[in-house]
Amino acid sequence: MSFELREVALVYPSRAGAVRALDGVTLAIAGGERVALLGPSGAGKSSLLKLFNATARPTAGAIRFEGRRLAALAGSDLRAVRRRIGTVFQQPSLVPSLTALQNALCGHLGSWSLARSLRALLAAAPSDTRVALAALKTVGLLDKAAARADELSGGQQQRVAIARVLVQDPEVVLTDEPFASLDPGLTAQLADLLLHVAQGRTLIAALHDVELALAHFPRIVGLRGGRVAFDAKAAEVSPQMLRELYAHEARGAVG
């Protein structure tokens, strides 16, 4: 089992008082599964992904990755787990002044020392360069390897972000609304690319596009108000379930 969550809650402090982003979530995701997270804005999708990649810790309950409780990990053990989990965000989060190749090389940063990271950004070893160039070729941007990130279109930047995850070579790929700012045609292209890249890996995607989720993800988890509204096979998700999921925006939740 890749992830196991039992009665997980996540509470953020705010000026208005505590905000409960997740409330009693119990969920299990097996290795190699493709799971889409659906729900209205504020349902808890992004918060759940933060627990999966160990950038947030639950306020209550437990989350385990391959049997290890994530909240108990620290130092090198935590870094080792994070190296095995790659994330593609809504914003590509590239370094604007670096080239596409250098940004792709950043996929190695989790496994490199600081000194090696600095050297690589100036003059990467041939073996590292080959891996990054192969990743750019996979995403169709080999001809843009020397272009600065801020010279690329939004879709091209997202491709570089996917190439960066390829270089990282994680066992789990998380995506947080990666196509939200792209037009429908480009969304379809990048969705196909992401699914290709994630073959053989666990893929968990927070999506706003219901049709995309139902067409490409065998399992759908609906979130509303920080709770699991339903957990079903895509073929079993009915129009009524979706209407109820999006009937009211989540209140008192974030992410």
Side-chain angles (χ1 to χ4, degrees):
M1 193 66 63
S2 277
F3 292 101
E4 293 179 86
L5 291 80
R6 290 192 177 277
E7 293 298 318
V8 165
L10 181 60
V11 178
Y12 294 115
S14 75
R15 292 181 179 179
V19 177
R20 187 170 292 269
L22 297 171
D23 187 9
V25 173
T26 294
L27 196 64
I29 297 176
E33 271 200 280
R34 293 208 312 266
V35 181
L37 307 178
L38 293 179
S41 177
K45 303 185 297 296
S46 295
S47 294
L48 188 55
L49 291 181
K50 289 176 183 178
L51 293 181
F52 286 141
N53 64 19
T55 57
R57 298 193 176 198
T59 307
I63 176 169
R64 298 179 184 273
F65 176 63
E66 295 189 348
R68 304 182 71 185
R69 189 164 178 163
L70 287 179
L73 301 179
S76 60
D77 289 336
L78 181 58
R79 289 193 295 273
V81 166
R82 285 176 173 168
R83 284 197 295 270
R84 299 169 63 189
I85 302 170
T87 307
V88 180
F89 299 97
Q90 181 175 342
Q91 300 301 324
S93 300
L94 305 181
V95 181
S97 60
L98 296 184
T99 66
L101 176 60
Q102 290 170 320
N103 273 286
L105 279 167
C106 289
H108 281 307
L109 294 182
S111 56
W112 283 349
S113 66
L114 177 60
R116 185 177 180 187
S117 299
L118 293 174
R119 287 197 305 270
L121 292 179
L122 296 174
S127 59
D128 296 326
T129 300
R130 283 195 294 272
V131 170
L133 287 172
L136 288 174
K137 182 177 181 180
T138 297
V139 302
L141 283 182
L142 185 57
D143 61 328
K144 297 292 185 180
R148 283 172 47 125
D150 55 9
E151 298 172 344
L152 302 176
S153 68
Q156 289 171 333
Q157 290 182 14
Q158 199 60 282
R159 287 175 183 267
V160 175
I162 295 173
R164 183 176 57 200
V165 168
L166 266 178
V167 171
Q168 181 183 345
D169 193 25
E171 296 162 34
V172 178
V173 176
L174 309 175
T175 70
D176 191 3
E177 306 279 12
F179 317 122
S181 59
L182 303 177
D183 64 71
L186 192 53
T187 292
Q189 293 177 25
L190 286 183
D192 287 341
L193 174 61
L194 183 62
L195 291 165
H196 171 71
V197 165
Q199 283 183 356
R201 313 172 199 262
T202 304
L203 176 61
I204 306 171
L207 297 171
H208 74 290
D209 190 323
V210 174
E211 291 185 4
L212 179 68
L214 294 176
H216 295 289
F217 288 81
R219 180 179 172 190
I220 308 294
V221 174
L223 293 171
R224 184 177 63 243
R227 295 175 176 269
V228 175
F230 63 78
D231 182 355
K233 295 179 180 178
E236 298 172 350
V237 176
S238 68
Q240 179 62 28
M241 292 165 68
L242 294 171
R243 281 194 295 271
E244 291 176 359
L245 184 67
Y246 291 98
H248 302 285
E249 288 293 318
R251 296 178 181 177
V254 296

